[in-house]
Amino acid sequence: MSENRALQRAHILANHILRSPPLPSSLSLAREVCLQYSPPELNESYGFDVKEMRRLLDGHNTEDRDWLYGLMMQSNLFNRKERGGKIFVSPDYNQTMEQQREITMKRIWYLLEKGVYRGWLTDSGPEAELKKLALLEVCGIYDHSLSIKLGVHFFLWGNAVKFFGTKRHHEKWLKNTEDYVVKGCFAMTELGHGSNVRGIETVTTYDPRTGEFVINTPCESAQKYWIGGAAKHATHTIVFSQLNINGTNQGVHAFIAQIRDEDGNICPNIRVADCGHKIGLNGVDNGRIWFDNLRIPRENLLNSVADVSPDGEYVSAIKDPDQRFGAFMAPLTSGRVTIASSAIYSAKVGLAIALRYSLSRRAFSVKANGPEVLLLDYPSHQRRLLPLLAKTYAMSFAANDLKMIYVKRTPETNKAIHVVSSGLKAVLTWHNMHTLQECREAVGGQGVKTENLVGQLKGEFDVQTTFEGDNNVLMQQVSKALFAEYVSCKKRNKPFKGLGLEHMNSSRPVLPTQLSSSTLRCSQFQKNVFCLRERDLLERFTSEVAQLQGRGESRESSFLVNHELAEDLGKAFTEKAILQTILDAEAKLPAGSMKDVLGLVRSMYALISIEEDPSFLRYGYLSRDNVGDVRREVSKLCGELRPHALALVSSFGIPDAFLGPIAFNWVEANAWSSV
Amino acid sequence: MLNVSKKNHSSHNSIRNRRGRSESKWPQRLSVRILTLNRPKQLNALNSNMITRLMQMFLEYEEDPNVKIVILKGQGRAFCVGGDPLPVFRDIVIQGKSWRVGADFFSEQYKLDHIMATYSKVQISILNGIVMGGGAGISVHGRFRIATEKTVFAMPETELGLFPDVGASYFLSRLPGFFGEYVGLTGARLDGAEMLACGLATHFVPSSRLTALEADLCKVGSSDPVTFASAILNAYTKHPKLKQHSAYYRQVYNIFFHLLLLLVFEFDGYLLSSFNSSLRRLDVIDRCFSRRTMEEIISALEKEAIEKPNEWISATIRALKKASPASLKISLRSIREGRFQGVEQCLIREYRMVCHVLKREISKDFVEGCRAVVIDKDRNPKWEPRSLEEMKDNMVERYFERVDEEDGWEDLKLSPRKNLPALIIAKL
């Protein structure tokens, strides 16, 4: 083209001088061959068995997942559309809030009719729970609103009935919940109290004359807030409230209250208002609830932990209100488990789209007149996306691990589940947000289009960092739990057991001063670095807190002052837990190409985590030279992972229809003929 | 040439002999090639000669700049009843040859299907008669499929101890709702109207008008052949009414009629309920064939049959109970997987599956099915495993794995096709 243009200019100049007739038009029309979409599959090869890797990543119920993907693809309710010769299913986010809510509810009915939720509350055991988790994950890949609306109904309302309730509640509600005869919501958060559930202001008293509880919203800050399902669809709710018996506050308890009749009319003594339009998740009808002397039968107290007798006497096997509260909250871990895993699937969607695009989109030539370079062949582009890919892999194993310990939970593992799920929920949801932002930028302007998903998902998933426990609060809880564990082991002079702290029983690892490439990729070295950081931060944190306590400060305020250390420690703990899960997954594989690639991924995860955390330099675990070596190795690993990029995202197992059009033939999808 | 005849349109006969000279005189006539499957006694069942010949012709026409449209049709009352299982049966059962001989036959057939699915020129298949199994493979993947009032379509493989192959896991899975599962699992017969309604056919032309249609198609000039062919076909196409008892009937088709019936036959409760049920068929199919497992599909159908008994649902259940349990389970899984795969991946996976079928290590139902349906014709196969429950998940799983332990066995190698990007686009 440039040659033609030069020639043309020369001609024009010549024409000016010679006044000869203008050039034949054919010359000016001569042009280079147009850009053509070339699917990444044509040029990239799979270095390992993608199907096997997918099985490993999904971890369980692969066929059930595929069945549900298929159910959604084959229904017109899921907004099927053709773009560039392919079918896509994705919600129409341009619908109004009201439309999004109604279509989400319709999708729920459709999946109900297909038997998707069968056994979600009435079956038990690890197998049934894993299946339920897998299906919920698939719903979340289609639309976060869909999975949240289901999650509120089954995991919050349903599990509250199941875990806080007793036989009479189970018989009355569980099957009806599974069949959507009742639609449940979960009224815990108030305008004035979110993470601090113990501070809620809703008050319930007991009237022995009628055998009823009376629920009240005493002030505006006590209105229930963000209650998913409350604004439009829910017929029943769990109400969290202070229970006041004969003037004594017995702490927070959970009750069942009906808020709408079968026809959707709001019940007497209930006021409901809408939370309004949100930055995402508009398919969920979040609402606010006020209770005005609402009377409910005595049997509606969920009485697994405490009960009130007909004559109004409070009885509980657990005397300490703090412990009682803990017993109440324990089952709610399921929320954090599902959020952590859904965050990872969202990151997978983002990366699959961004990486596929980067394997088909070119920009700039490196050599004059040379072909334009594929985005992912730029080392800088690799550096932006491949470490996020490796992290997503590692965290995917961590999420699976968390699910496994959750479904196999025993009273003994409750504490570990609480700590690990808190850390992972925070780290994985933050990771998702970072990943989506990077993917959005990495696909350029296309990322701004809603249909390409990566941009929209930022809004849809943003709330994950807040609900079911604010991420920062959760990370502090991790550090507090580690502190308690440390203090109790030291006090009783017992070795560490559980929470992955066993390494604290042996001597402090010594790192080599020179870090060669092979050292950096050695799993033992990587483990040592992560253990050293966790150990040192835990010791620093406990000694700082102890020092302050020695000066008469309370434990709580000593924690507050040391929030920076607490934050570093929470991160160190969680990242080490993640590293351990990918190491375990790798160790279980037979020698072969899949294990080799996973080894690269694991090294990338370890080294990028080191590179990104200033703790290593701040506290001197690594020298400046060391950190430079780590950085060079990350860049080398980028180059080594580059040939596997397509195979690694294909292994996510997300059907094409659930990705955005730019992941495929984006030229065709934008062609004039498609307008 | 005996079996696959390049039978030119009457006005074409001379063209074949005077290709060079006639080109300028009737340029349009060279642009259309008509291939006729000519084994009418065997209902045009495909043997390896025909497959090789078809492949040759299709590749040759693709290279030939003069050819714009390839018409494929069948002599006699069938378009094509699919791959002929007899030679395979003879080779591997009677003569005891290696199952690999049989696998080669399937491999060639799938390669032909692949060429058609990615064909850069216009293929028009005229389905004026029976279309089954492999017959669907050589037509449905092409651009245009013309059904007529004589068309009978079926994928009867589960009755043979096989599974819907020839890329069926690709095209069946892309039919609306769960109609593909229904067609692939039960082997249900579809007529031309139903094929058009569900998308297996692109046009419906009464058979009496086919000669005129062919003649008009031969007039293709220098215009874009896809646009040209669409225009001609659209001019000929009819929109046949679905039969009242069609499985593809949707309730919305005839709400008005339904209301009328309510008024007229107010007191004839029986008539009303039987009419109701025929309207509900597509809904029943979606409700039942969307279930997760084969067992659940059957129990959902049985539940429907108890609630609203009718002949169609009984026949559907009978068909499933008659089919090979192993076939049903691998077929369901194949269609479900095919939904997420491109046509190449589908063919490669189906080739793995058919190798396991031929190898007969997990089940010997293919041999038994051929015996019962084609050889002894007693139609009383003894399946093994005998029930769906006995066909365990891990046994199903094995059909989808590579045939690793076998010396020199390789996955199906599909030759790269030029202009692939644009052609990857499904024609269905």
Side-chain angles (χ1 to χ4, degrees):
Chain A
M1 180 115 180
S2 55
E3 221 168 88
N4 284 342
R5 195 173 288 161
L7 203 62
Q8 199 178 357
R9 279 189 183 166
H11 270 280
I12 291 168
L13 285 175
N15 284 344
H16 275 295
I17 301 161
L18 300 172
R19 300 192 170 242
S20 61
L23 268 181
S25 60
S26 63
L27 185 60
S28 62
L29 281 175
R31 45 191 288 218
E32 282 176 293
V33 181
C34 285
L35 268 185
Q36 263 218 331
Y37 174 79
S38 163
E41 281 82 359
L42 278 189
N43 307 309
E44 309 284 321
S45 56
Y46 290 166
F48 55 88
D49 187 342
V50 167
K51 215 173 147 186
E52 275 306 301
M53 186 67 102
R54 191 239 166 151
R55 275 186 189 284
L56 185 68
L57 279 180
D58 274 340
H60 56 97
N61 300 86
T62 329
E63 265 194 86
D64 292 315
R65 291 171 199 266
D66 283 350
W67 168 60
L68 182 48
Y69 284 128
L71 286 182
M72 300 200 254
M73 278 171 69
Q74 295 306 100
S75 162
N76 292 327
L77 276 176
F78 290 79
N79 195 30
R80 269 168 78 97
K81 53 186 188 291
E82 200 215 290
R83 304 283 277 110
K86 282 185 89 87
I87 293 293
F88 291 94
V89 285
S90 174
D92 177 3
Y93 291 110
N94 196 31
Q95 283 186 325
T96 64
M97 178 180 81
E98 284 76 12
Q99 289 170 324
Q100 289 189 48
R101 289 170 173 185
E102 288 316 310
I103 192 78
T104 305
M105 199 63 226
K106 277 190 189 147
R107 287 171 186 146
I108 289 178
W109 291 126
Y110 168 82
L111 298 177
L112 172 73
E113 190 225 315
K114 301 293 174 201
V116 171
Y117 322 130
R118 197 184 306 145
W120 276 25
L121 286 166
T122 51
D123 287 355
S124 46
E127 214 170 281
E129 290 215 64
L130 285 175
K131 182 175 173 186
K132 169 170 68 175
L133 292 171
L135 295 174
L136 188 74
E137 283 160 5
V138 170
C139 289
I141 289 169
Y142 173 72
D143 178 28
H144 198 206
S145 286
L146 177 62
S147 73
I148 291 305
K149 206 162 162 61
L150 286 171
V152 169
H153 178 74
F154 284 101
F155 287 76
L156 294 179
W157 155 268
N159 277 355
V161 172
K162 198 168 175 174
F163 297 132
F164 304 159
T166 50
K167 193 156 170 272
R168 65 177 187 233
H169 304 110
H170 299 166
E171 282 166 359
K172 187 166 180 190
W173 303 106
L174 291 185
K175 181 78 172 70
N176 278 347
T177 300
E178 206 170 283
D179 298 340
Y180 269 92
V181 176
V182 295
K183 285 172 270 183
C185 64
F186 188 81
M188 183 152 85
T189 298
E190 295 174 358
L191 177 60
H193 290 87
S195 291
N196 181 17
V197 179
R198 260 179 272 201
I200 59 171
E201 297 169 287
T202 303
V203 181
T204 299
T205 53
Y206 181 68
D207 182 350
R209 290 170 306 158
T210 58
E212 290 171 320
F213 287 109
V214 186
I215 306 177
N216 262 298
T217 302
C219 48
E220 285 301 355
S221 61
Q223 64 179 274
K224 293 295 179 185
Y225 216 99
W226 295 128
I227 311 309
K232 280 273 181 261
H233 295 123
T235 57
H236 292 72
T237 184
I238 303 290
V239 186
F240 279 82
S241 162
Q242 305 290 349
L243 175 60
N244 199 314
I245 297 290
N246 299 325
T248 311
N249 183 17
Q250 299 291 355
V252 176
H253 289 71
F255 304 85
I256 290 178
Q258 184 164 4
I259 57 172
R260 284 191 179 82
D261 64 18
E262 286 159 8
D263 303 326
N265 305 307
I266 291 167
C267 294
N269 302 74
I270 301 271
R271 282 175 289 150
V272 167
D274 206 308
C275 288
H277 190 261
K278 307 186 290 283
I279 61 167
L281 218 58
N282 282 303
V284 180
D285 51 326
N286 292 93
R288 305 181 273 153
I289 310 174
W290 290 258
F291 302 99
D292 307 318
N293 280 317
L294 176 72
R295 289 183 164 262
I296 55 166
R298 189 185 67 90
E299 291 74 24
N300 282 17
L301 169 65
L302 293 170
N303 60 340
S304 69
V305 173
D307 207 350
V308 174
S309 68
D311 56 353
E313 202 174 321
Y314 185 80
V315 271
S316 174
I318 308 174
K319 290 286 166 256
D320 176 17
D322 274 357
Q323 273 185 23
R324 214 152 54 211
F325 182 75
F328 251 136
M329 292 299 124
L332 295 185
T333 323
S334 70
R336 290 199 287 273
V337 175
T338 56
I339 291 168
S341 74
S342 99
I344 285 309
Y345 278 101
S346 158
K348 285 176 179 173
V349 171
L351 283 166
I353 294 171
L355 278 162
R356 289 190 61 93
Y357 186 63
S358 74
L359 288 167
S360 66
R361 176 69 146 87
R362 295 167 183 274
F364 300 106
S365 316
V366 177
K367 277 179 278 180
N369 295 325
E372 288 185 293
V373 177
L374 215 49
L375 295 187
L376 200 62
D377 285 332
Y378 287 100
S380 56
H381 211 76
Q382 295 170 9
R383 176 60 184 78
R384 288 168 68 183
L385 294 176
L386 297 181
L388 291 171
L389 178 64
K391 283 185 173 183
T392 303
Y393 259 74
M395 292 178 190
S396 178
F397 291 115
N400 281 345
D401 231 53
L402 175 62
K403 279 189 278 177
M404 292 303 165
I405 53 172
Y406 171 72
V407 300
K408 293 178 188 159
R409 65 193 173 276
T410 61
E412 291 74 46
T413 58
N414 270 346
K415 186 172 76 181
I417 294 174
H418 172 75
V419 179
V420 176
S421 69
S422 299
L424 286 179
K425 185 265 182 183
V427 169
L428 271 52
T429 57
W430 272 326
H431 167 71
N432 181 33
M433 292 314 292
H434 296 157
T435 302
L436 290 174
Q437 180 63 27
E438 196 62 60
C439 290
R440 205 303 282 145
E441 293 177 34
V443 300
Q446 288 296 331
V448 179
K449 280 185 75 153
T450 308
E451 68 170 16
N452 291 327
L453 294 181
V454 279
Q456 181 71 25
L457 291 182
K458 290 194 299 169
E460 296 299 318
F461 281 87
D462 196 323
V463 70
Q464 284 198 327
T465 60
T466 297
F467 64 18
E468 294 287 310
D470 170 87
N471 277 4
N472 287 287
V473 174
L474 290 178
M475 288 306 262
Q476 285 165 17
Q477 288 191 10
V478 171
S479 298
K480 280 184 200 171
L482 293 175
F483 172 89
E485 188 69 15
Y486 186 90
V487 170
S488 113
C489 285
K490 290 290 163 194
K491 207 181 257 172
R492 283 185 274 162
N493 207 14
K494 274 183 143 176
F496 291 95
K497 194 165 174 290
L499 294 176
L501 293 175
E502 290 82 358
H503 66 94
M504 307 264 306
N505 298 322
S506 39
S507 57
R508 204 178 161 94
V510 180
L511 303 177
T513 44
Q514 302 284 323
L515 298 180
S516 68
S517 179
S518 62
T519 310
L520 285 167
R521 291 185 189 205
C522 163
S523 56
Q524 191 56 50
F525 164 79
Q526 292 161 3
K527 256 183 94 165
N528 284 348
V529 181
F530 279 61
C531 287
L532 178 63
R533 172 178 60 161
E534 178 183 60
R535 173 194 200 112
D536 184 76
L537 285 170
L538 181 50
E539 285 165 356
R540 275 173 201 269
F541 182 58
T542 44
S543 88
E544 292 284 333
V545 171
Q547 242 177 48
L548 282 176
Q549 282 180 302
R551 280 191 247 140
E553 293 281 344
S554 75
R555 191 160 119 168
E556 280 307 314
S557 60
S558 310
F559 282 147
L560 293 185
V561 175
N562 283 296
H563 67 95
E564 286 150 327
L565 265 175
E567 194 185 309
D568 289 346
L569 172 61
K571 184 176 174 170
F573 168 82
T574 312
E575 288 187 350
K576 201 209 77 188
I578 294 167
L579 177 67
Q580 190 58 52
T581 61
I582 188 171
L583 279 168
D584 292 345
E586 190 189 338
K588 280 186 205 134
L589 287 179
S593 51
M594 201 162 123
K595 194 188 185 88
D596 296 342
V597 174
L598 209 56
L600 292 178
V601 170
R602 182 254 307 153
S603 283
M604 175 64 101
Y605 169 73
L607 297 183
I608 195 67
S609 303
I610 296 172
E611 204 208 281
E612 286 175 352
D613 187 3
S615 294
F616 291 97
L617 273 179
R618 181 184 299 129
Y619 303 109
Y621 313 135
L622 294 174
S623 69
R624 274 177 63 187
D625 281 352
N626 290 161
V627 172
D629 290 336
V630 168
R631 178 167 236 200
R632 266 188 298 281
E633 202 62 24
V634 165
S635 159
K636 261 171 75 182
L637 278 166
C638 280
E640 288 173 48
L641 280 174
R642 158 67 184 85
H644 299 294
L646 182 66
L648 287 168
V649 293
S650 299
S651 304
F652 288 157
I654 298 165
D656 296 356
F658 291 74
L659 302 178
I662 41 157
F664 302 95
N665 192 341
W666 42 266
V667 179
E668 186 79 21
N670 287 287
W672 177 250
S673 57
S674 72
V675 172
Chain B
M1 277 309 278
L2 180 72
N3 301 320
V4 183
S5 71
K6 190 170 87 176
K7 208 177 178 187
N8 288 312
H9 193 263
S10 53
S11 63
H12 284 206
N13 280 335
S14 56
I15 295 168
R16 233 174 86 209
N17 305 326
R18 298 186 277 122
R19 183 173 294 182
R21 280 188 289 137
S22 60
E23 200 172 334
S24 55
K25 205 172 172 189
W26 301 297
Q28 72 277 19
R29 291 190 178 164
L30 271 172
S31 319
V32 178
R33 294 302 170 96
I34 303 176
L35 296 172
T36 308
L37 305 173
N38 194 8
R39 237 187 136 201
K41 274 187 189 159
Q42 291 84 3
L43 299 173
N44 297 324
L46 293 171
N47 59 26
S48 47
N49 277 337
M50 292 165 83
I51 291 168
T52 314
R53 196 77 188 103
L54 276 171
M55 195 144 30
Q56 263 173 12
M57 305 300 262
F58 265 80
L59 289 174
E60 190 189 309
Y61 296 157
E62 197 169 38
E63 290 304 314
D64 184 344
N66 294 315
V67 178
K68 293 190 164 169
I69 294 175
V70 181
I71 295 176
L72 187 61
K73 58 182 191 176
Q75 183 69 38
R77 63 191 185 92
F79 168 76
C80 169
V81 291
D84 190 347
L86 267 175
V88 176
F89 188 84
R90 208 179 301 126
D91 283 344
I92 67 175
V93 179
I94 300 170
Q95 300 182 11
K97 287 189 193 163
S98 158
W99 62 270
R100 301 281 288 271
V101 181
D104 289 344
F105 172 74
F106 284 95
S107 137
E108 289 308 297
Q109 201 183 337
Y110 297 176
K111 283 178 185 166
L112 173 63
D113 298 330
H114 176 240
I115 287 168
M116 290 172 165
T118 54
Y119 207 53
S120 61
K121 295 191 174 167
V122 175
Q123 177 188 348
I124 301 175
S125 305
I126 299 175
L127 311 175
N128 190 28
I130 308 166
V131 190
M132 286 188 183
I138 56 168
S139 55
V140 176
H141 292 295
R143 174 71 62 196
F144 298 111
R145 291 88 62 183
I146 320 299
T148 75
E149 78 286 352
K150 291 183 184 164
T151 309
V152 180
F153 174 97
M155 297 302 284
E157 287 86 351
T158 57
E159 201 190 340
L160 267 179
L162 196 61
F163 60 93
D165 59 342
V166 296
S169 61
Y170 179 80
F171 61 73
L172 288 181
S173 63
R174 279 156 179 79
L175 298 186
F178 298 85
F179 199 65
E181 272 97 334
Y182 165 70
V183 170
L185 295 169
T186 62
R189 269 56 173 165
L190 303 182
D191 64 18
E194 289 169 320
M195 280 189 82
L196 181 70
C198 75
L200 280 166
T202 57
H203 297 81
F204 182 96
V205 177
S207 59
S208 59
R209 304 207 64 204
L210 289 175
T211 319
L213 170 70
E214 275 180 42
D216 272 353
L217 284 171
C218 287
K219 290 178 189 153
V220 61
S222 54
S223 58
D224 170 48
V226 178
T227 322
F228 171 81
S230 302
I232 300 283
L233 290 169
N234 288 342
Y236 276 86
T237 202
K238 289 271 173 289
H239 292 282
K241 282 223 171 73
L242 285 170
K243 286 196 195 106
Q244 194 195 317
H245 288 284
S246 165
Y248 204 80
Y249 231 112
R250 261 201 204 288
Q251 198 139 11
V252 290
Y253 270 73
N254 238 329
I255 287 290
F256 176 74
F257 189 39
H258 190 185
L259 287 174
L260 195 80
L261 230 103
L262 263 171
L263 292 172
V264 177
F265 298 101
E266 206 171 355
F267 301 107
D268 195 338
Y270 172 74
L271 185 64
L272 194 62
S273 73
S274 77
F275 186 72
N276 242 331
S277 59
S278 74
L279 290 179
R280 286 170 57 254
R281 266 171 212 176
L282 203 52
D283 292 329
V284 174
I285 287 173
D286 275 353
R287 205 156 43 236
C288 300
F289 285 87
S290 58
R291 298 286 153 167
R292 162 73 180 80
T293 62
M294 213 45 241
E295 289 91 334
E296 288 171 76
I297 289 174
I298 291 182
S299 75
L301 283 165
E302 284 172 338
K303 205 174 135 222
E304 297 272 346
I306 291 167
E307 285 166 9
K308 299 228 169 68
N310 66 66
E311 178 42 33
W312 170 78
I313 205 154
S314 315
T316 304
I317 296 170
R318 271 201 307 277
L320 292 175
K321 298 234 157 133
K322 215 177 106 194
S324 145
S327 290
L328 287 177
K329 283 205 169 173
I330 62 173
S331 303
L332 178 62
R333 166 108 178 243
S334 173
I335 295 169
R336 296 269 161 97
E337 281 198 15
R339 201 157 265 148
F340 312 118
Q341 293 176 321
V343 68
E344 290 85 358
Q345 290 170 292
C346 284
L347 288 166
I348 291 167
R349 176 177 39 72
E350 288 173 6
Y351 181 66
R352 283 187 187 189
M353 293 170 67
V354 88
C355 286
H356 285 288
V357 167
L358 295 168
K359 217 175 160 199
R360 288 163 283 157
E361 283 182 345
I362 313 159
S363 160
K364 299 179 175 50
D365 280 1
F366 179 50
V367 169
E368 177 59 13
C370 285
R371 184 203 62 72
V373 176
V374 187
I375 314 286
D376 299 343
K377 296 190 173 141
D378 60 13
R379 299 234 160 212
N380 186 23
K382 300 273 174 286
W383 303 126
E384 191 63 48
R386 284 186 299 180
S387 68
L388 289 169
E389 289 68 32
E390 285 168 50
M391 183 68 189
K392 303 279 180 216
D393 284 353
N394 60 347
M395 292 159 78
V396 175
E397 185 72 42
R398 284 178 61 193
Y399 281 91
F400 295 80
E401 287 165 5
R402 293 174 47 85
V403 188
D404 262 341
E405 68 279 19
E406 183 72 23
D407 262 358
W409 182 91
E410 279 187 332
D411 268 328
L412 182 65
K413 287 260 182 302
L414 297 170
S415 49
R417 307 274 295 137
K418 57 179 181 180
N419 300 328
L420 193 57
L423 293 166
I424 269 180
I425 300 166
K427 293 178 184 127
L428 190 84

